[in-house]
Amino acid sequence: MARKTPVPTEKADKSKLASPANGKIRAKAAKDSGGREADAAEPAQSKQGIQSQGEVMAPADTQLKDATSGKSAQTSGVTVAPVAHAAAMVPEPMPGPSGKSETKASAMHRLPAGDVDTRSRNLEAAAKPGFPTEAEFVANLPPLPVDEPQDESHEAAVLQAIEAEFSNLPSVTEADWEPVAAFEPEAVSAPQPEHFPQAPAIPSLFIVQITPELAPVAKVGGLADVVFGLSSEMEIRGNQVEIILPKYDCLRYDHIWGLCETYGDLWVPWYGGAIHCTVFFGFVHGRKCFFIEPHSTDNFFNRGGIYGCNDDVMRFAFFSRAAMEFLWKSGKHPDIIHCHDWQTALVPVFLYEIYQHLDMRHPRTCFTIHNFKHQGVTGAQLLNATALHRPEYYFHYDRLRDNHNPHALNLMKAGVVYSNFVTTVSPRYAMEAKDQGQGFGLESTLHIHHQKYGGVVNGIDYEFWNPGLDRYIPSHYSVNTIDDKYRNKQALRGRLLIADNEKPIVAFIGRLDPQKGLELIRHAIFYTLQRGGQFVLLGSSPDGQINNYFWSLKHQLNDHPDCHIEIGFNEELSHLIYAGADMVLVPSRFEPCGLTQLIAMRYGTIPVVREIGGLADTVVDKDFSDQPLPERTGYVFRDYDDKGLESALGRAISCYYEYPEHFRELMKNAMRRDYSWKNPGQDYLNIYDHIRNK
Ligand code: ADP
């Protein structure tokens, strides 16, 4: 990785970039303040003024507030603390970008003079008695929830309901049970690359995706991105793709073009009757989409959100039935129906148990599992609702019966049993789920169906996630103009009101779910600050306890000049973070694929990840790998503990400070990797072709 000619470091870039941009900010601030243009136009003067006067009156109209976070950056008329005082409060040395020691105060001296809000916030912050240490913070709060698959409150509630339901019914006796062979996982050393059957020339296919999520109109996590990206890739390759999803009230309608009613008279069987539905058609960034809107008092999709209701299983069972009824009534006979996660896992069941007897024999089904943790466990009521009569048939161990609770049905298991092919989202996770106890109870089912099971690593949509075109970032760049990335870093700091200094920005973007490694995320915040970095977090959780925990953390670190915690879902901000950060952290307990590290690499942002699932398949450690240097893209750690995390994050921060040229090369390596849908698209086409001939 050694270079003959020195590459410009970030420091050099910033000296080039800072003046013009800051000049603009200063001019605006001064204009707002009413006739202080002369001062504002002269950066040296302003800076000198701040440092020597010791006190700064902020312009009257600069009561800027971070609206999304509620963070107050009010500066109007506030006399901020003198710099000299700030320096006294923060004496500890930390490594500077050149390897020299510097203090927070000296870093603050380099703040752009015109960035009034950031500066005053920092000085105020530095004047406080001190921010909590991690130990102090942890001592004041209950522990974070741990990821116990059997202890999910929602599923527990569902199971309770099932028990109640069955207490009035003749229960399944031991005699009815099929003998189940004890499950003994085979020892498997390392995952092998998947080799799907090769098909040199695949004719154009008609593919229907039935999905609960689609980016960007209905997005909770990576599933939404995957359906959009895969559909685009399939169309680029000359296939016809249609997508069916619920017409949620919370759809991003601003991303749907030409929405119109296309089928007004769809009656979907439900509990011995039928629910009237309207089907709408619209384009989502060029993809053809059908949105199903049921009209019933259940209000299935008018809940203000996508998931999180007690009747989620029923809502999506209805959607799956409605999607199949729509295909049948409208005379569509796709070659492939591709469904996703437990929400649409009943689609292959309906196809083979109902619709093929109604002359729908052509379609084949592919079922993709994005996360084994959520399986859609429910009771016999489901069978009544969906007209899958014959409970004794469906409660058979070989069909829908949950592997652990003989009184429960498991939708994800149904999808595995009934589909023609089952994929999960990386080869490593496919192996972990089948052989290493990550299948949340479905290990034995995966073993039984192993011949139609495999892992295809996800891609990302290279048009949507493109630092050269991204409409949410102010400065476009590519691997050849990587210096321009740092304008985004400045913009990010301006947006989040964190200090403009030469520290690396470490970011976390994702659901605040125990799966994502919440304790390690918390530790990473304090560790990064201690090692002379900045930390930015963007995330949210439907779990109130977790949200409160991070709100509390945010509250305590709100005024820290080097930290910003943003609770919520914000697509636009996520793009700016990917472009502006130096590192993205993914310390998951388990991770089926993970898109954040793939997006980060696309934006030249170095992933720091745990060696697990798709993270292990996609990130190659800079220092510890047998891959050639140009293949190395980030930092990897194995053990799920503070020391493990520090071993990777510490190396990344050290490299940033001590070997900036190496860090720059690593950024370029990451940007050159191809994690588009090109390769996974071909894998899926091979799978489609394989099953349609069966
Ligand atoms: P998962 O599917 O487990 O949620 P992935 O890493 O596969 O995780 O995908 C997460 C996707 O959701 C990425 O596109 C990420 O940028 C996005 N995302 C997650 N949380 C947020 C958030 N709070 N705001 C914006 N985007 C988010």
Side-chain angles (χ1 to χ4, degrees):
M1 195 166 292
R3 292 177 57 92
K4 286 192 186 119
T5 49
V7 242
T9 62
E10 186 198 353
K11 194 175 179 182
D13 302 333
K14 285 163 67 68
S15 63
K16 263 193 292 167
L17 298 176
S19 310
N22 290 338
K24 272 188 210 151
I25 300 167
R26 281 191 292 277
K28 173 150 188 349
K31 202 169 166 204
D32 291 344
S33 71
R36 290 172 53 194
E37 288 89 345
D39 290 346
E42 179 44 63
Q45 255 183 3
S46 299
K47 190 166 181 177
Q48 194 188 9
I50 294 158
Q51 291 177 359
S52 60
Q53 287 164 15
E55 286 189 353
V56 177
M57 292 295 286
D61 289 343
T62 52
Q63 296 179 24
L64 295 192
K65 192 172 166 91
D66 180 349
T68 47
S69 68
K71 172 187 298 172
S72 170
Q74 185 171 338
T75 58
S76 174
V78 174
T79 303
V80 296
V83 171
H85 177 64
M89 297 303 297
V90 194
E92 79 272 23
M94 57 180 66
S98 56
K100 292 181 193 149
S101 288
E102 67 173 359
T103 61
K104 284 182 191 171
S106 68
M108 276 188 276
H109 279 277
R110 294 198 316 276
L111 291 176
D115 197 349
V116 177
D117 305 305
T118 312
R119 182 184 59 228
S120 59
R121 174 185 170 208
N122 295 337
L123 298 177
E124 277 183 290
K128 293 195 171 195
F131 295 99
T133 62
E134 185 176 9
E136 284 164 0
F137 178 76
V138 171
N140 292 332
L141 277 178
L144 274 165
V146 181
D147 207 13
E148 293 286 353
Q150 303 302 328
D151 190 30
E152 287 178 73
S153 58
H154 172 59
E155 288 198 358
V158 171
L159 287 176
Q160 234 179 10
I162 294 165
E163 297 297 345
E165 184 185 337
F166 272 82
S167 61
N168 300 327
L169 290 174
S171 62
V172 182
T173 64
E174 286 293 328
D176 299 325
W177 290 22
E178 308 300 315
V180 182
F183 170 64
E184 286 181 21
E186 289 166 24
V188 174
S189 52
Q192 297 299 314
E194 299 291 325
H195 293 293
F196 296 108
Q198 288 294 319
I202 300 175
S204 167
L205 299 174
F206 177 20
I207 302 158
V208 169
Q209 305 267 0
I210 302 181
T211 175
E213 292 183 41
L214 176 72
V217 289
K219 174 168 167 175
V220 173
L223 161 58
D225 293 295
V226 169
V227 176
F228 185 89
L230 178 60
S231 303
S232 303
E233 179 67 23
M234 289 301 150
E235 284 210 30
I236 289 167
R237 288 166 179 264
N239 302 286
Q240 188 194 343
V241 182
E242 292 178 0
I243 302 169
I244 305 178
L245 66 158
K247 189 165 178 293
Y248 302 105
D249 57 352
C250 58
L251 284 174
R252 290 278 308 255
Y253 284 94
D254 53 327
H255 287 271
I256 306 176
W257 282 265
L259 188 66
C260 61
E261 186 179 316
T262 184
Y263 202 93
D265 208 20
L266 181 70
W267 289 89
V268 179
W270 195 244
Y271 278 114
I275 292 180
H276 178 226
C277 298
T278 306
V279 185
F280 292 81
F281 175 82
F283 288 98
V284 173
H285 295 274
R287 304 287 76 77
K288 296 183 209 99
C289 297
F290 292 92
F291 302 90
I292 298 183
E293 180 180 56
H295 309 290
S296 88
T297 49
D298 294 306
N299 257 332
F300 281 133
F301 305 122
N302 296 328
R303 308 283 181 90
I306 294 180
Y307 309 126
C309 305
N310 285 338
D311 61 343
D312 275 358
V313 171
M314 285 302 172
R315 294 167 68 217
F316 289 101
F318 177 81
F319 168 64
S320 302
R321 184 74 209 256
M324 287 307 297
E325 191 72 12
F326 171 59
L327 288 180
W328 181 61
K329 291 265 175 61
S330 57
K332 292 177 188 285
H333 292 276
D335 299 297
I336 301 293
I337 299 176
H338 195 154
C339 45
H340 301 268
D341 271 351
W342 69 263
Q343 293 90 329
T344 54
L346 280 178
V347 163
V349 181
F350 294 141
L351 179 62
Y352 288 97
E353 297 292 358
I354 299 174
Y355 290 94
Q356 73 160 339
H357 304 295
L358 301 173
D359 225 18
M360 204 170 171
R361 294 205 183 84
H362 183 67
R364 296 290 180 269
T365 49
C366 179
F367 175 49
T368 295
I369 296 172
H370 298 257
N371 193 330
F372 276 94
K373 184 180 166 191
H374 308 283
Q375 300 188 353
V377 179
T378 189
Q381 186 196 12
L382 174 92
L383 303 178
N384 296 335
T386 54
L388 292 172
H389 304 303
R390 297 189 291 157
E392 67 294 343
Y393 176 80
Y394 292 107
F395 264 99
H396 193 285
Y397 175 79
D398 290 344
R399 295 190 182 87
L400 272 63
R401 191 174 83 201
D402 185 69
N403 290 348
H404 292 288
N405 184 341
H407 301 312
L409 300 166
N410 185 316
L411 271 54
M412 184 168 275
K413 175 174 171 177
V416 173
V417 171
Y418 277 83
S419 298
N420 297 103
F421 208 93
V422 182
T423 66
T424 187
V425 289
S426 69
R428 172 79 165 239
Y429 187 59
M431 180 273 289
E432 289 171 352
K434 183 162 71 75
D435 299 312
Q436 293 191 340
Q438 294 285 337
F440 287 83
L442 287 186
E443 291 82 355
S444 55
T445 309
L446 296 175
H447 270 264
I448 291 166
H449 295 278
H450 71 99
Q451 281 179 322
K452 59 170 187 175
Y453 170 67
V456 179
V457 76
N458 281 335
I460 53 171
D461 188 318
Y462 263 36
E463 277 188 28
F464 187 67
W465 298 108
N466 182 353
L469 294 172
D470 194 322
R471 63 183 165 138
Y472 299 128
I473 63 174
S475 174
H476 293 152
Y477 60 99
S478 68
V479 69
N480 297 321
T481 58
I482 207 164
D483 292 348
D484 293 338
K485 177 174 165 63
Y486 291 108
R487 292 181 196 273
N488 297 306
K489 188 170 180 177
Q490 275 194 321
L492 178 63
R493 286 170 162 162
R495 167 95 186 259
L496 302 182
L497 303 174
I498 53 175
D500 192 0
N501 50 36
E502 296 184 2
K503 297 179 180 181
I505 299 182
V506 181
F508 172 84
I509 301 172
R511 291 180 298 115
L512 293 175
D513 185 285
Q515 170 201 335
K516 298 291 177 185
L518 299 179
E519 309 85 350
L520 293 192
I521 294 168
R522 181 196 64 218
H523 182 63
I525 295 173
F526 290 94
Y527 180 71
T528 301
L529 297 175
Q530 178 211 330
R531 287 292 309 267
Q534 298 186 313
F535 203 98
V536 168
L537 181 149
L538 170 62
S540 62
S541 168
D543 180 327
Q545 193 188 345
I546 296 177
N547 254 354
N548 288 344
Y549 192 92
F550 279 88
W551 271 108
S552 166
L553 190 55
K554 174 184 172 69
H555 184 69
Q556 298 202 30
L557 294 174
N558 207 31
D559 288 329
H560 200 294
D562 289 325
C563 182
H564 182 92
I565 295 175
E566 183 80 18
I567 314 278
F569 189 94
N570 189 329
E571 183 76 51
E572 289 81 356
L573 178 58
S574 77
H575 287 242
L576 185 57
I577 296 176
Y578 284 120
D582 298 287
M583 300 154 209
V584 154
L585 179 70
V586 198
S588 306
R589 280 176 179 275
F590 70 93
E591 191 58 74
C593 177
L595 297 182
T596 43
Q597 83 280 10
L598 304 183
I599 302 169
M601 286 190 269
R602 173 81 166 140
Y603 283 73
T605 305
I606 298 305
V608 179
V609 306
R610 182 151 177 253
E611 191 190 28
I612 193 94
L615 301 172
D617 281 340
T618 54
V619 180
V620 180
D621 190 90
K622 173 180 172 293
D623 302 317
F624 303 102
S625 167
D626 49 11
Q627 302 271 338
L629 288 179
E631 307 280 309
R632 302 186 189 182
T633 50
Y635 293 88
V636 179
F637 66 100
R638 189 166 296 169
D639 294 341
Y640 186 87
D641 55 27
D642 289 356
K643 287 279 167 278
L645 173 108
E646 289 173 13
S647 73
L649 186 54
R651 284 187 292 128
I653 294 175
S654 296
C655 181
Y656 175 90
Y657 275 130
E658 290 162 28
Y659 302 98
E661 294 173 18
H662 291 196
F663 197 84
R664 181 67 57 104
E665 281 304 298
L666 201 59
M667 292 164 68
K668 290 183 176 175
N669 288 352
M671 289 188 84
R672 288 192 186 109
R673 300 294 302 179
D674 182 359
Y675 283 110
S676 70
W677 275 101
K678 197 168 131 234
N679 294 329
Q682 186 60 50
D683 284 340
Y684 273 110
L685 266 188
N686 293 340
I687 291 169
Y688 294 163
D689 192 55
H690 173 64
I691 58 179
R692 83 195 186 93
N693 292 320
K694 286 211 154 199

